[in-house]
Amino acid sequence: MRIKSVELKLVMMKLKYPFETSFGATHNRPCVLVKLKYGDVEGWGEVVAGEGPWYSYEDIETAWHVLTQYLAPNVVGKDVDSPDRFCGMISHVRGHNMAKAGLEEAFWDAYCKFVEQPLYKALGGERDGIESGVSIGIKSTVDELIKTVENYVEKGYRRVKIKIKPGWDIDVVRKVRNEYPSFPLQVDANSAYTLSDVAKLKELDRFNLLMLEQPLGYEDLVDHATLQKIVETPICLDESISSVDAAKAAIALKSCKVINIKPGRVGGLLASKRIHDLCAEANIPIWIGGMLETGIGRAHNIALATLPNVKFPCDISASDRYYEEDLVEPPFMLGSNGTIAVPKNYGIGVEVIEERVRKFTLKSTTVRL
Ligand code: OSB
Ligand code: MG
């Protein structure tokens, strides 16, 4: 079957609440949506690059550039019969994983619709619901943070992750732990520390955290291995696992005990699945992270979260945790047992409401033959 066109749309989504991490605050979430025509079917993907190069070096403009100049022109007009072959057509471009992942996701969705399969089945997933966690940004006061935690715990989320940075760490975690002595809790530093902070990071061992996410350098594997020997809290790597090769190195070096997979960060669903499989072999449990996706990217993340070695709740929350109005129907909802139901229709399994996409679109372009 032939890829007929690739349409890109830069949309600006307004978050219900600003989201602050150690690298800055996000109020509006821009993202590039990809719509790919494959024979008579269409598929959707989402590029999770942000407004600036803060989480990774990619941003919406680099993604737009690489997609329009190199990635889309290389696939449009081509006959392709599997996601594997599709990836082979864009793998000569080095890096730019978020741009690649958005395009590859759109192909997966279209391909699964064409072969009449739900995406999660095509990936080898095997569950009906995924355990939902929530990631809470840095707040102005600890009271505000505790109120936010309370709200999500009451809603039924299975675990809470709080963002930490120097000056917003031990005391904050202690106070949250006092309120919730046994609720599944983890922290994410987004690379805000160095090995010179080892004493402080070691203090976190007292709080029975599920894990400590990405404390050190965003490309580091060596210092994390040193730190993991010193702290008991399992280290989970996010930013540092930027590829299948990085995952191999992290496993060999014992840099972490857990890995969070984000398809955007590693270059797509196929790379995510490879990392999942490597981790399963090495007894490293994984979970699926989030990048404040719209329902489109979230649907892809949910499909991945059905894989068997996903052993922790994911940063995949209900649509209403992020946006007033999501781009898909039905929106993702938190079930009474703290899970999100996996859509069973073909492809990503939810319908993209193009009228809403149009409402938020700042610019668009189509690459065709
Ligand atoms: O480090 O996991 C992160 C959002 C943007 C950039 C980095 C991260 C995050 C989150 C949000 O934690 C998780 C979500 O989408 O709910
Ligand atoms: Mg993280």
Side-chain angles (χ1 to χ4, degrees):
M1 191 51 54
R2 180 160 304 180
I3 296 172
K4 291 186 175 158
S5 64
V6 170
E7 206 174 322
L8 304 175
K9 295 160 190 294
L10 173 62
V11 298
M12 186 60 87
M13 299 290 292
K14 190 177 182 318
L15 282 168
K16 274 167 86 170
Y17 321 98
F19 186 79
E20 185 172 336
T21 65
S22 61
F23 56 75
T26 307
H27 298 261
N28 294 298
R29 180 73 173 103
C31 69
V32 178
L33 300 178
V34 183
K35 178 169 142 189
L36 179 147
K37 287 209 165 111
Y38 182 58
D40 294 329
V41 294
E42 289 174 358
W44 288 85
E46 177 167 341
V47 178
V48 298
E51 200 147 31
W54 319 130
Y55 170 81
S56 83
Y57 67 83
E58 291 185 85
D59 69 20
I60 45 173
E61 290 302 326
T62 67
W64 192 269
H65 168 70
V66 168
L67 279 159
T68 54
Q69 301 303 305
Y70 304 106
L71 300 175
N74 224 54
V75 302
V76 168
K78 301 270 168 63
D79 280 307
V80 47
D81 60 6
S82 74
D84 215 28
R85 294 259 163 87
F86 184 86
C87 286
M89 289 164 23
I90 55 176
S91 58
H92 62 290
V93 171
R94 294 191 182 178
H96 298 281
N97 282 347
M98 293 177 176
K100 282 177 183 161
L103 183 62
E104 190 232 32
E105 284 183 358
F107 178 76
W108 271 101
D109 182 28
Y111 171 80
C112 289
K113 284 173 177 148
F114 178 70
V115 299
E116 303 191 337
Q117 240 196 345
L119 174 61
Y120 85 98
K121 285 263 182 206
L123 289 169
E126 43 186 54
R127 53 188 117 192
D128 296 327
I130 63 106
E131 284 187 84
S132 183
V134 65
S135 171
I136 303 176
I138 291 164
K139 303 285 178 189
S140 328
T141 64
V142 179
D143 278 353
E144 192 188 341
L145 174 66
I146 287 174
K147 284 209 184 81
T148 311
V149 172
E150 184 178 40
N151 170 43
Y152 290 126
V153 170
E154 273 169 12
K155 284 205 158 83
Y157 283 102
R158 288 276 186 100
R159 71 99 170 101
V160 160
K161 157 169 141 183
I162 60 180
K163 296 286 186 177
I164 57 168
K165 65 175 183 182
W168 180 269
D169 45 31
I170 307 299
D171 271 0
V172 174
V173 175
R174 180 185 300 113
K175 285 175 182 151
V176 173
R177 253 297 170 239
N178 280 344
E179 296 293 317
Y180 295 95
S182 58
F183 193 80
L185 182 69
Q186 65 193 60
V187 294
D188 185 358
N190 289 104
S191 289
Y193 298 89
T194 68
L195 264 190
S196 65
D197 299 307
V198 62
K200 175 172 282 179
L201 295 170
K202 177 84 186 143
E203 282 185 61
L204 290 171
D205 279 349
R206 285 187 281 147
F207 302 117
N208 185 31
L209 300 174
L210 279 178
M211 63 193 84
L212 161 60
E213 191 175 331
Q214 195 72 37
L216 310 178
Y218 64 89
E219 292 182 306
D220 170 77
L221 294 173
V222 173
D223 286 355
H224 279 104
T226 304
L227 181 65
Q228 184 66 93
K229 287 200 194 88
I230 301 168
V231 302
E232 266 144 50
T233 309
I235 293 176
C236 169
L237 288 180
D238 174 349
E239 283 90 331
S240 289
I241 308 299
S242 53
S243 63
V244 176
D245 286 341
K248 274 187 212 163
I251 292 167
L253 291 167
K254 300 188 172 22
S255 308
C256 60
K257 293 185 177 161
V258 182
I259 285 178
N260 135 5
I261 298 180
K262 295 177 180 174
R265 193 189 67 226
V266 304
L269 299 174
L270 206 60
S272 299
K273 169 120 170 96
R274 292 207 175 109
I275 294 172
H276 165 276
D277 295 350
L278 278 175
C279 288
E281 237 170 82
N283 269 317
I284 304 259
I286 68 143
W287 53 281
I288 307 302
M291 291 292 290
L292 311 173
E293 286 89 344
T294 75
I296 296 171
R298 187 172 323 284
H300 286 277
N301 291 353
I302 286 173
L304 264 185
T306 64
L307 292 175
N309 192 37
V310 173
K311 305 284 193 191
F312 290 101
C314 297
D315 275 351
I316 302 177
S317 314
S319 294
D320 73 356
R321 178 256 177 277
Y322 308 93
Y323 302 106
E324 290 295 348
E325 195 178 44
D326 206 341
L327 300 178
V328 303
E329 283 292 338
F332 291 105
M333 312 254 265
L334 190 68
S336 55
N337 55 355
T339 64
I340 292 178
V342 178
K344 295 296 169 65
N345 298 324
Y346 300 149
I348 58 174
V350 286
E351 192 195 346
V352 177
I353 308 301
E354 296 214 40
E355 198 184 295
R356 284 189 212 153
V357 173
R358 230 170 284 131
K359 209 164 68 181
F360 300 116
T361 297
L362 301 181
K363 66 174 177 177
S364 62
T365 186
T366 304
V367 181
R368 49 167 70 88
L369 268 192

